[in-house]
Amino acid sequence: MRQPPIHTIADDAIKTWKITAILYMLILWLSTAAGLVLSIIFDFPLWYVAISILLCGILHYVFVNLLPKVRWKRWRYEIFEQEIYIQHGILIISRTLVPMIRVQHVDTKQGPILKKYQLASVTISTAATTHEIPALLEEDASSLRDRISALARVDEDDV
């Protein structure tokens, strides 16, 4: 069996995933607060709100505190001359080999949260799908994009 890839993504990926999760959880917390206000105004039972608060607290802990760290530990990648090896997943581990000959183009992308931490993601497109290596340092993402592009071009010339 093949050994796991050796490269990890940037440490700040945990912070960016936590911020993203907090933004999504904010919607859930605001919905719960609206439910509380409506319950008080219309004199509904408050046990619905209590259950909502409990669920929000559990989901907040799981998605903001637990999953980003576990996700970071599982994300690995490695670039070979003939293929790209990507491994990720928490409960179900996905190990993907992308042949260089199938790579159509490689991009880097960066949203506002990644930009704050000087991170970027590399997307690798094939005819069938797009693969992503998230949250690399900007310099590493650029050099990785250039390296994959160069290796894919060499493979196309060999065909």
Side-chain angles (χ1 to χ4, degrees), residues 50-67:
I51 291 174
S52 294
I53 290 171
L54 180 66
L55 286 175
C56 283
I58 292 170
L59 291 174
H60 187 93
Y61 173 75
V62 169
F63 288 107
V64 174
N65 296 327
L66 186 64
L67 286 182

Side-chain angles (χ1 to χ4, degrees), residues 24 31 34 50 59 68 100:
Y24 284 115
S31 299
L59 291 174
M100 287 294 181

Side-chain angles (χ1 to χ4, degrees), residues 108-120:
T108 56
K109 68 178 185 179
Q110 184 180 47
I113 298 172
L114 289 177
K115 188 170 187 163
K116 177 179 176 6
Y117 291 99
Q118 299 175 342
L119 301 174

Side-chain angles (χ1 to χ4, degrees), residues 79 84 100 103 106 122 124 144-152:
I79 307 299
I84 303 162
M100 287 294 181
V103 174
V106 185
V122 176
I124 304 150
L144 187 64
R145 179 197 60 213
D146 295 343
R147 183 168 179 227
I148 291 171
S149 176
L151 290 171

Side-chain angles (χ1 to χ4, degrees), residues 14-44:
I14 296 171
K15 293 176 187 170
T16 62
W17 290 335
K18 282 185 175 187
I19 291 171
T20 304
I22 287 171
L23 293 175
Y24 284 115
M25 287 303 301
L26 187 61
I27 295 169
L28 208 56
W29 282 111
L30 289 174
S31 299
T32 301
L36 176 65
V37 170
L38 291 174
S39 293
I40 292 172
I41 291 173
F42 295 110
D43 200 24
F44 291 148

